[in-house]
Amino acid sequence: MGELSKAYVPADVEGPIYERWLAADVFAPDGAGSRADPSLEPFVIIQPPPNITGALHLGHALTFTLEDAMVRHARMRGHPTLWLPGADHASIAAQYVLDRILAAEGESRESLGRDRYLERMWQFINATRAIMLGQERRLGASLDWSRLRFTMDEGSARAVRESFTRLYRDGLAYRTEALINWCPGCRTSVSDLEVVPTPETGMLWTIRYHLVDEATGAPDPNAWIAVATTRPETILGDTAVAVHPDDQRYAALVGRRVRIPFVERDVPIIADDVVDRAFGTGAVKITPAHDRDDYATARRHDLPMITMLADDATVNETGDGYIGLDRFEARRQIVAELEARADLEAARPHEMLIGRCQRSNDVIEPRLKTQWFIRTGPLAEQALAATRDRRTIIVPPRFEKVWENWMTNIHDWNVSRQLWWGHRIPAWYCPDGHVNVSADAAGPAACETCGRPAAELTQDADIFDTWYSAGLWPFSTLGWPDDTDDLRRYYPGSVMETGYDIIFFWVARMMMLGIHFMGEVPFRKVYLHGLVKDPYGQRMSKTKGNVVDPLEAINTAGADALRFALLNGTAPGADQKFSDERLEDARNFANKLWNATRFVAGARPASIDAERATRRERSDHARLGPTERWITSRAAATVEAVDRAFADDNYGEVARLLYDAIWSEFCDWGLELAKIRLGDAAVSDEDREATWWTLVEALDSYLRLLHPLMPFVTEALWAVLPHFADDPDLLIVAHWPSAAAGAASALERDPRLERSVGQLLELVRAVRTARAAAGVPAAAWLPVDVLVPAALDATFEALTPAIQRLARARPLNRVLDRTPLDAAPAGSLAVVIGELEALVHVAAAGRGELAVRSGERARIEKDLAQAEAALASTRARLADPTFNERAPAAIVEGTKQREQELAERVERLRQTASP
RNA sequence: GGGCGGUUAGCUCAGCUGGUUAGAGCGCCUCGUUUACACCGAGGAAGUCGGGGGUUCGAAUCCCUCACCGCCCACCA
């Protein structure tokens, strides 16, 4: 047995313990210290590799805590566990961050050039990655560091090239010119998911387009069609005006032509269902190259598509008179000019949704680009089939609907990014326009179509969307495309744990790519956690300044406290508010546990010497009193309840259960009861030892149960307890209490005993209440008479010293019949608990008059009124024939019993209220 | 425009498939130098379970509806 310092200082225990785990090599499924049973199914967590861009936030802390709890739980149950650490290169996010750092130094992407920029990026991310991994250790994450991976390492690169080549070969990757989301700030395309619809008040302008006179070919100054638009600058790219086919107002105009101002282009008026007759003027300008609807309309009508914006969102060479102007400046000038020409019919504020870049917040411009796309239709179908036939389940289930909806309406995935930090698209183009896609890092030896030598081929300048390599994570990290042992053993994963906010970004892509390349789902279960918000329910963000730094929380309260605080408030898929109070409460809990263990360690009977106390012994059953059996039974009940909560993936429930069991049961009652026998000189050594071993037994179980949530403090405390011969040195690899070979499986439930002891504990509570109500000094001894039914006889006898001490009740007299109670003297309070009745003689403490004094009388009368009301409603129910007829017998019986108890309670209280 | 979640004590939340008098932590009030812990212990005050309707012997729990808050999805210029 070891020693515990008087004060619990998390910082002193956490660091050294993590080092011990590392030294013992217990994290890896095949580590030297692993005690995994190879015949059990491996438990594999797929974790979202965090972005290398910076420090971890509380959301990460929740992720790591949940996953670590899952892994530790499975590890203790004997499963080989694999939790593979990693980092995501986060191309657009990383470039965004680095660009800002460079800007502060007066440099830029352009000034450095691709090679030097990437060099700089590696420096940057190597530094941030080290910080990030250090934070994961501080949190206690039991990741298998021997398998550390990165989405930009060679293994990922190979998987990216190989997978993309196969997708291309299978017709699931294609290159085409299409309308994509362009972020002028990031200078790249982004996926639909990265466009954030932002409500804004813009303007809706009504503009006149003059009809072209069919005879002269000139615009008619007196004839026009008015269109409504929120983006007048796109006039420069208009190639038609559309009206609804059934709109009588414009029926005669369909087929006529109008003159587009500034660019002086004549375009047709067409009819299309897409037009909403009720909106604006009922006529819409069509700008195919810069609007999603218009693009679709143009394709139906075979209209020309004119791109009028450059990459930096200035007007390009097609925009006569406005060339080089920023889009918003061009808009301003165009509106002014239209007004000057009297072609601006109206202008009014308009509420609308503007697409903004998730990263840079720039207004996204839809525009035409030639890019690579993944054909998601067939892939999504497979992913849907997998969730529908439950090969992968989603927790909580309500997200299945969201999943279904998204997967059935999925669009093809634009994977080209005009960025530098990421995996280069493995496509090479020959001057004749032939496309070569190659899994070879060096590219094809020659054009596969025309045989031109490699030197004449040029590789696509673009890189992949970050989520492409992330989507390969579950198998690229296990050696794919090679057929490795790891891949065979650890694919598919058991649980994919992540926040619900990246279900589409990441989970969906892993499912689609995993099924396609591996022929089987990448994971059996998707566990989604919620967002961690500030105490006011606001999303934490750097700009709001309400971000809680996990490291700071760890430094002030300890990693265990942070972990417990996060889990204590969690339910699958539910957001939680995080506050200092929560953290403090968790820290207090760790402290409580520390002190309870310190007490148990220090309470070792002298008859067990230090040497003997290094080996765990089973408590001698014959010597266990009701107290000991109660402690054991409650611990057994907790094991059962915790197992159920784990099975339900309800980690918040696990936390609550253990908090209550350890604090309110084990500490408040168990330890206090045990102190009686431990400190009683009249008790035999053997009995005292049995009591102590009982405490060790219960505490040992609680530490095991709590370990997945609070690994550090439990590991430190477990070290001071005696262990069985087959226990390991470290709790992290010790058996789970309910596991078959569990060291603590001797715990047994005894519901009848729990009820008996429970009633006596209630008696203690009632005496305390009476004492407080009557204003009896805490130190004073109160005489108490108790009427004990035969069934409670033995238990009462055994617990008498405990009741005396805990309630400060002395003399504690057993009375044999009710007579003394019926003749309750003034200055005595009657107490009725289940089968027990008692009289607390407060008068004996010099407070007799208080029993009938106004304050106490009001109190008793209130209790009486409550009891009478309860009795009345219970009787009313029993008098109802339909209740007796339809309610289950057990309920009816219970209600009858209740009626009896209430009647007696009312009688007692009446006597007390009016002596 | 669809869809999801939430609404329980001053605050943060538990209350599973309907069944005694709805619970916990924090905060608040009273008391406490009992040899694990004041990051503690004992006791207490505090809730018409968002509103309305329904099903049922019985509803915080199931159904309908309304209100408010939050989120997701969606091509109305």
Side-chain angles (χ1 to χ4, degrees), chain A residues 555-625:
Chain A
N555 288 337
T556 57
D560 287 317
L562 174 60
R563 293 168 60 116
F564 192 84
L566 287 166
L567 291 182
N568 195 19
T570 200
D575 294 349
Q576 64 166 304
K577 291 174 192 159
F578 187 87
S579 62
D580 288 345
E581 288 74 28
R582 250 190 147 68
L583 185 65
E584 207 175 291
D585 186 32
R587 185 259 267 130
N588 292 352
F589 179 50
N591 184 252
K592 184 77 180 176
L593 187 66
W594 180 273
N595 282 298
T597 308
R598 210 159 60 83
F599 168 76
V600 172
R604 169 163 53 90
S607 58
I608 304 173
D609 63 31
E611 203 282 324
R612 201 181 134 200
T614 59
R615 297 180 308 272
R616 171 95 175 265
E617 294 171 24
R618 298 220 182 264
S619 50
D620 183 347
H621 261 267
R623 298 189 175 278
L624 297 184

Side-chain angles (χ1 to χ4, degrees), chain A residues 13-29:
Chain A
V13 306
E14 293 180 354
I17 283 178
Y18 202 88
E19 291 306 318
R20 286 192 64 194
W21 290 331
L22 286 176
D25 193 10
V26 290
F27 294 165

